[in-house]
Amino acid sequence: RPPTRVLVACVHSVRDALRRVHTATPQLVSKVFMAFLSRTASEAMRGIFSDTAAFLVQTSKALHSDCKRLQESANPGIDDVLEQIAKTEQALLKNCFGALLDCQPLLNLLGPDRVACQPFLRDMQAQLMAVFWAFAEVCFRYIGQDPLEMRMME
């Protein structure tokens, strides 16, 4: 998948290429192009959050391995474990914020039209919530509890 900036540049190229056709059939081209923009932005955003969720799982797995290794070492120190947890937390937060930042240019593609932006924003919120739920589920599994219990607490 191309980086967001590359995708945005490609979409701008498509927009520029459609200018001549737009003069002949402005309503049709505008309608089709907005549908294209909406779908392209949404699919790219889903990909970004999919990568974020995968990073979350990989990082949590690595943290588990690191903590296990530290506990089994000859000189296990709680400070080392806590430091590793803090580093992992920072990496996860940085990755989540990075996903949100990567989505900003996609939202800008849709322009100032609130009606066009609302489905994208709803979908982005759902994707972000899915990442946070995935994190919570990983944590519940790590401590040996059923993630369904967490869902019941909603």
Side-chain angles (χ1 to χ4, degrees):
R1 180 173 38 249
T4 303
R5 61 182 165 65
V6 173
L7 179 64
V8 169
C10 290
V11 168
H12 287 304
S13 294
V14 170
R15 180 199 61 203
D16 294 343
L18 289 173
R19 288 188 196 271
R20 291 181 76 190
V21 176
H22 185 264
T23 58
T25 57
Q27 290 177 334
L28 178 63
V29 171
S30 292
K31 182 178 178 181
V32 170
F33 187 67
M34 281 308 293
F36 165 75
L37 281 179
S38 179
R39 186 163 185 179
T40 300
S42 290
E43 291 300 319
M45 180 258 305
R46 285 187 194 107
I48 289 167
F49 279 101
S50 175
D51 291 347
T52 299
F55 178 81
L56 179 143
V57 171
Q58 291 169 350
T59 304
S60 298
K61 185 177 174 183
L63 174 63
H64 175 69
S65 296
D66 289 344
C67 288
K68 198 171 183 180
R69 179 184 48 76
L70 287 169
Q71 287 175 336
E72 293 170 354
S73 71
N75 189 11
I78 191 71
D79 290 340
D80 293 336
V81 173
L82 292 175
E83 182 179 335
Q84 196 61 37
I85 291 170
K87 286 179 183 178
T88 301
E89 278 182 346
Q90 288 176 342
L92 290 172
L93 287 173
K94 182 180 176 185
N95 197 269
C96 285
F97 283 121
L100 290 172
L101 289 173
D102 281 350
C103 288
Q104 183 64 46
L106 299 172
L107 180 61
N108 291 342
L109 278 177
L110 300 175
D113 183 8
R114 289 179 59 99
V115 174
C117 293
Q118 286 303 317
F120 179 85
L121 292 172
R122 275 193 303 274
D123 197 16
M124 187 170 71
Q125 181 182 16
Q127 294 294 318
L128 186 59
M129 290 299 298
V131 167
F132 289 137
W133 278 119
F135 176 73
E137 285 185 27
V138 165
C139 292
F140 263 67
R141 288 190 190 282
Y142 183 74
I143 62 172
Q145 291 189 353
D146 185 359
L148 290 177
E149 291 177 25
M150 172 191 62
R151 298 271 181 168
M152 298 299 189
M153 290 192 281
E154 285 182 31

